[in-house]
Amino acid sequence: GGVDASHTVHKYLGPTIGRQLNRYSQRAGFNVGYKVQPQTKLYVSYHRGLTHYTVHRELPNQDRNSKSHDVGAGVTGVLAPKITGQVEGGITYREYDEAPIGGTTRVTRNFTVATNVTYKPTDRTDVILGLSRNLAESISASNRFYVSNNASLDVKHKLPRKFSVGVNAAVGVDKYPDTQTVATGTRGDRRDDIYQGGAWVTYDIQAWLSTGLSYVFRERNSTFSGEFNYQDQQTAWNLALKF
């Protein structure tokens, strides 16, 4: 078994977005596990969470502070021949200090997923599957949070002569619990679909030094309003020191 605790500070640049999202989050809890195999463990966990926004809200129904209880159960380690990782499912109970303006959801109960599994068909190749479902903070006046569902697939392969390459793809669905209205007058239930794909290459200059290039394309399509749609392309060069 074990215990853990964390304190996370979120600080956004700019006064407007800062007033909406600057906050700190605290989380503490424990886990208890049982080794069913030398490298495989079944476990259960519990965590108590607190989110506090640093800007005081002077008007009613503007406090976004919340408290939560998170219970999880899963398996970690060697899951099958050539397969390692973690598979976890759980339940989150979260209570906000106030209901949002124009919304009713102050208390929510949602199931959660935290899964990351690696399949290694050869010594040089990794296939990584990620699945997640959790609650994320929202700046919508009618919604304190949204439910974020994500799935990703990464393939990595180590080439001769110190090169490694990889490709990745991901899809996400963000769902907001309460009906909302935007400045254009559109009213309805918001759901955002997010798609992402990319590729990368790295070169190991030395065992302790590597460099690489990466490219990612991301697109969001909202079923609620076109003002939330976007396309984003990111190209990066990196230099990494390994100790």
Side-chain angles (χ1 to χ4, degrees):
V3 296
D4 62 273
S6 64
H7 179 87
T8 306
V9 177
H10 303 262
K11 185 173 179 61
Y12 286 76
L13 301 179
T16 301
I17 194 70
R19 290 185 62 85
Q20 294 174 312
L21 285 176
N22 282 359
R23 64 190 186 275
Y24 68 80
S25 301
Q26 296 174 337
R27 196 167 185 262
F30 65 89
N31 70 83
V32 178
Y34 177 75
K35 284 190 175 182
V36 294
Q37 296 290 340
Q39 294 180 300
T40 307
K41 182 178 75 173
L42 295 174
Y43 67 89
V44 294
S45 65
Y46 166 80
H47 288 84
R48 174 67 164 165
L50 167 69
T51 298
H52 181 81
Y53 281 78
T54 55
V55 176
H56 178 66
R57 305 287 174 169
E58 297 180 353
L59 298 177
N61 298 99
Q62 287 193 330
D63 277 328
R64 299 172 180 266
N65 302 336
S66 67
K67 300 177 179 65
S68 64
H69 300 274
D70 302 313
V71 178
V75 57
T76 184
V78 178
L79 307 180
K82 299 184 178 182
I83 299 178
T84 60
Q86 178 183 25
V87 177
E88 179 183 305
I91 298 175
T92 290
Y93 173 92
R94 181 182 290 184
E95 181 177 354
Y96 285 83
D97 289 356
E98 295 179 344
I101 300 173
T104 60
T105 304
R106 189 177 72 87
V107 175
T108 181
R109 302 168 183 85
N110 276 277
F111 73 89
T112 59
V113 175
T115 294
N116 193 278
V117 176
T118 299
Y119 169 58
K120 199 172 185 68
T122 71
D123 290 340
R124 290 179 170 269
T125 304
D126 291 336
V127 181
I128 304 169
L129 173 67
L131 300 172
S132 68
R133 175 184 169 91
N134 51 57
L135 303 184
E137 297 295 296
S138 167
I139 62 173
S140 165
S142 303
N143 290 276
R144 292 286 180 257
F145 68 93
Y146 60 89
V147 181
S148 177
N149 305 273
N150 298 281
S152 64
L153 184 67
D154 294 279
V155 180
K156 304 178 181 180
H157 184 71
K158 189 171 182 60
L159 299 171
R161 298 185 180 276
K162 300 184 178 181
F163 280 98
S164 297
V165 295
V167 294
N168 57 75
V171 61
V173 177
D174 296 339
K175 300 186 70 174
Y176 292 72
D178 286 332
T179 300
Q180 62 187 82
T181 304
V182 294
T184 58
T186 302
R187 181 171 176 80
D189 297 325
R190 179 177 171 183
R191 191 193 83 186
D192 297 341
D193 298 333
I194 305 168
Y195 307 95
Q196 177 177 301
W200 55 266
V201 58
T202 63
Y203 177 72
D204 294 328
I205 302 170
Q206 298 289 340
W208 51 272
L209 180 65
S210 66
T211 186
L213 294 171
S214 64
Y215 169 79
V216 173
F217 174 83
R218 185 182 297 110
E219 180 176 351
R220 181 168 75 182
N221 296 314
S222 178
T223 61
F224 173 55
S225 175
E227 69 182 271
F228 299 113
N229 297 345
Y230 71 82
Q231 291 184 345
D232 184 34
Q233 301 184 64
Q234 297 176 342
T235 303
W237 167 79
N238 69 78
L239 182 67
L241 295 174
K242 304 173 185 177
F243 298 96

